[in-house]
Amino acid sequence: MKPFLAALLLVLLLFLASLLVGASDSLSWHNVRALLSGDSDEAALLLMASRLPRAIALVLAGAGMAVAGAIMQMLVQNRFVEPSTAGTVESAALGMLLVLLLAPDLPVVGKMLVAMLFAFLGTLLFLAILRRIPLRSPVIVPLVGIMLGGVISSVTSFIAYRYEMMQSLGAWMSGDFSTILRGRYELLWLAGGLTIAAYAAADRLTVAGMGEERAVNLGLNYRSVMFFGLMLVAAVTAAVLVTAGVVPFLGLVVPNLVRLWRGDRLRSSLPLIALIGAGLVIACDILGRTLNAPFEIPVGTVLGVVGSVAFLFLLTGRRTYAA
């Protein structure tokens, strides 16, 4: 309970700090008193229209992607896998590009559903490839996913270049929360709801992670649990992509850190994974807003640096992660 409370307190502090960090001086550490007393209408508008929605979006996206990574690792039985190393993110981006080309007037929810479908199909393709090749080392699994993602990303880039949409594609892949405003992030509440649903099904997902033979012997409907888990991962990935873009490596780093002291049981580890994922995204966002102020470095860029270093450490540093 103590690690959970400590993580919760840290996330709350980072959340409050996020509200007071930015290019505008109307809402900063120096005029909190004016905001609380109601003397600054400009600060109140900035808080309610921009800063608060952005902070909420960071929490929902961070928690959702971290939990999605943990579920994918459990179902694939490999600790190096997450949506950005399994072709899931790239497949969702391809779906998003195609829907903008073929049905640009489709509502945001419709675009998310198309991206979710492509993410789900891309993940199924990844699993189908894994069944057809010999996996002599656990490291081969994420390498297959990265290569598959590279192929899908190349196809997406070719289509975007052909139809002059490279700028839009770059915006989706950057993981930029600077455009989040009130009315433009509410889709992420779906990611929050799915995170809660994952916790409710944590025990079944844990059993499914033991493998099909063991899960069936324990009386679990293995295929339905796999379908539920993969659809959850696809839906969270699509919701985050449509709202803010790609948030890379989060589902790789956070679950492995939590697993060091909480083990593989999702029921006990998922709350910490969600909190630490949210805290890490907020911290990277604050860092991106302060390193080159008043300009911003996208969250996806900062996380890409942190996540790639952590990925290399996991590949080379500990053999215990190869299970």
Side-chain angles (χ1 to χ4, degrees):
M1 193 66 178
K2 289 183 179 180
F4 176 82
L5 292 177
L8 180 60
L9 178 61
L10 178 60
V11 171
L12 289 175
L13 292 175
L14 289 170
F15 187 90
L16 293 175
S18 177
L19 299 178
L20 301 174
V21 174
S24 175
D25 294 330
S26 61
L27 183 59
S28 64
W29 299 99
H30 304 292
N31 55 6
V32 173
R33 184 178 299 177
L35 175 65
L36 295 176
S37 63
D39 295 334
S40 178
D41 294 336
E42 182 181 355
L45 177 61
L46 179 61
L47 175 66
M48 300 306 297
S50 177
R51 297 279 179 86
L52 186 59
R54 177 172 181 158
I56 294 173
L58 290 166
V59 170
L60 295 175
M65 290 303 294
V67 169
I71 292 172
M72 181 169 278
Q73 289 171 20
M74 183 65 68
L75 296 180
V76 179
Q77 297 179 295
N78 188 284
R79 299 181 181 180
F80 298 135
V81 174
E82 66 112 31
S84 64
T85 62
T88 305
V89 168
E90 291 81 4
S91 300
L94 176 59
M96 184 68 178
L97 178 66
L98 291 178
V99 76
L100 285 180
L101 287 173
L102 301 177
D105 297 327
L106 198 67
V108 176
V109 175
K111 294 174 182 176
M112 190 216 73
L113 290 175
V114 174
M116 182 181 73
L117 175 62
F118 272 76
F120 180 71
L121 294 176
T123 307
L124 290 182
L125 177 60
F126 169 67
L127 295 176
I129 294 173
L130 290 183
R131 292 194 184 99
R132 292 180 174 271
I133 60 176
L135 301 177
R136 297 186 178 89
S137 169
V139 179
I140 294 178
V141 175
L143 293 180
V144 169
I146 291 172
M147 287 188 289
L148 174 63
V151 172
I152 297 173
S153 180
S154 298
V155 173
T156 305
S157 297
F158 174 78
I159 297 174
Y161 180 78
R162 175 68 177 78
Y163 292 97
E164 299 182 354
M165 296 190 67
M166 288 298 293
Q167 187 174 0
S168 298
L169 180 63
W172 304 332
M173 304 306 288
S174 65
D176 188 4
F177 285 79
S178 62
T179 59
I180 296 294
L181 296 171
R182 183 174 55 200
R184 296 185 183 179
Y185 80 98
E186 283 76 8
L187 199 60
L188 285 177
W189 286 109
L190 173 63
L194 291 174
T195 302
I196 297 173
Y199 180 75
D203 291 335
R204 284 177 290 169
L205 292 169
T206 301
V207 174
M210 297 178 182
E212 183 173 3
E213 185 176 349
R214 287 188 181 181
V216 172
N217 288 336
L218 291 171
L220 184 73
N221 189 333
Y222 179 78
R223 292 183 180 274
S224 65
V225 174
M226 282 288 292
F227 179 82
F228 168 77
L230 294 180
M231 284 298 294
L232 188 149
V233 170
V236 171
T237 302
V240 174
L241 176 72
V242 170
T243 305
V246 177
V247 183
F249 293 114
L250 188 66
L252 174 70
V253 175
V254 176
N256 280 287
L257 289 176
V258 173
R259 194 175 285 118
L260 286 174
W261 78 86
R262 301 296 290 187
D264 290 327
R265 188 167 179 263
L266 289 179
R267 176 71 64 182
S268 61
S269 63
L270 277 186
L272 265 179
I273 289 173
L275 282 176
I276 295 176
L280 181 57
V281 172
I282 296 176
C284 289
D285 182 65
I286 293 173
L287 191 63
R289 281 192 270 178
T290 55
L291 282 178
N292 193 31
F295 304 102
E296 289 191 22
I297 302 174
V299 172
T301 302
V302 180
L303 266 175
V305 174
V306 174
S308 58
V309 172
F311 185 47
L312 291 174
F313 171 76
L314 294 176
L315 287 176
T316 60
R318 284 180 174 268
R319 292 192 175 185
T320 55
Y321 282 96

